[in-house]
Amino acid sequence: MTSRRSFMTKSAAAALAAPFVAGPRQLFAQTAQENQWDSWDAQVTPAGYDPSFSNPWDLHPRFLPRRVEANDGLRAGDIHVDAVARYLYHIQGDGTAMRYGVAIGQDDLYEPGTFRIGRKARWPSWTPTANMIRRNPEYEEFAGGMPGGPNNPLGARALYLYVGSRDTYLRIHGTPQPWSIGSRASSGCVRMVMPHIIALYDQVEVGATAHLYAA
C-alpha cells in the first residue's frame, strides 16, 4: 500500500448524465453559459492576483501555492493529495512540485486510493448523488442538476476521478467556500480555492494519475 511518507516533498461528488444528442435548445443554453466563463473567471480572481501572496480569503499562509522540491521517482503530471497536511502536489518535470492547500471529505466520506483523471470540465454543472441528498435533504431541489456558475459547489473547474472506466463521483474541484480550505468539509471531494484550481486545471492532462492518501 502506498504510504503518505513515500511521496512527501523534501521541503516539508456529482453524477454524469448519460450521453445524448443535444437539440437546438440545449446547444443554445450551453453556448450562452460558455459565453460567461471568462467573466466568471474574472469574478472569482482577485484584482492583481499573484499566487504567491494574494490571500483575500485569509487562508493560513502555508496553503498558498508554493513550488517545492519533490522526491525522486515521482512521475511528472501526477497528483498526490496529503490528506493529513491538507496539501495537493502536482509533480513537475524538473524535479519540483506545485503545492496547494485543499479541503477534504468530512468524516468517513473521504476515500483514499489511486485514480485516473477521466475528464476535465470548466465551470461544470453539479448534480448531487442520492446519498448526498439523503445526508442533506436541502439538496433535493438540485436533483435535476445545478448549472455551472460562481455559486455552484464544483466551482470554476473540476477534475473527475475514475477507476478504470468507472466514474467514482469524486472530484478535485473549486469551491465557493474558500474558508473551508485546510479542513474536512466536503462530501468526499478535494476542494481548492478558485484561482488555484484554475491554474492547476490547465496543467493537468486527462489520463494523469491522482493518488489520494489516507487521512
Side-chain angles (χ1 to χ4, degrees):
M1 179 179 296
T2 308
S3 69
R4 173 173 172 264
R5 289 182 180 274
S6 69
F7 82 93
M8 285 292 291
T9 61
K10 296 174 184 175
S11 67
L16 293 176
F20 70 101
V21 178
R25 180 175 299 178
Q26 288 84 3
L27 289 174
F28 177 80
Q30 178 179 342
T31 301
Q33 187 183 67
E34 290 177 3
N35 288 338
Q36 300 180 76
W37 286 354
D38 289 343
S39 64
W40 288 343
D41 281 356
Q43 181 178 332
V44 300
T45 302
Y49 175 67
D50 184 309
S52 63
F53 63 79
S54 294
N55 189 14
W57 316 283
D58 198 27
L59 303 177
H60 190 287
R62 74 182 182 92
F63 292 130
L64 296 178
R66 294 285 183 267
R67 184 176 293 274
V68 296
E69 188 176 359
N71 282 341
D72 295 335
L74 300 182
R75 187 171 62 180
D78 283 357
I79 287 172
H80 298 262
V81 175
D82 177 353
V84 176
R86 312 288 199 263
Y87 288 144
L88 179 149
Y89 298 89
H90 183 225
I91 308 303
Q92 309 295 296
D94 61 356
T96 66
M98 283 303 301
R99 188 187 75 191
Y100 302 88
V102 298
I104 65 168
Q106 55 188 312
D107 303 323
D108 60 349
L109 298 179
Y110 175 79
E111 296 184 28
T114 300
F115 306 93
R116 178 177 65 88
I117 306 298
R119 178 189 170 206
K120 296 168 49 175
R122 186 179 180 188
W123 289 106
S125 61
W126 172 69
T127 305
T129 64
N131 284 336
M132 291 173 68
I133 293 173
R134 193 155 41 245
R135 290 191 300 269
N136 301 280
E138 66 272 19
Y139 290 167
E140 177 66 37
E141 67 174 300
F142 304 115
M146 180 181 182
N151 295 319
N152 186 292
L154 293 184
R157 305 287 191 276
L159 307 176
Y160 294 68
L161 304 187
Y162 281 61
V163 172
S165 60
R166 178 179 63 85
D167 183 6
T168 65
Y169 303 109
L170 299 175
R171 313 283 184 250
I172 298 170
H173 65 84
T175 178
Q177 300 176 330
W179 57 86
S180 66
I181 300 302
S183 69
R184 303 195 67 157
S186 75
S187 294
C189 297
V190 176
R191 294 180 179 179
M192 299 177 66
V193 167
M194 299 277 207
H196 299 176
I197 188 65
I198 289 173
L200 176 66
Y201 179 92
D202 289 336
Q203 303 302 315
V204 175
E205 299 290 338
V206 171
T209 300
H211 304 272
L212 275 58
Y213 296 89

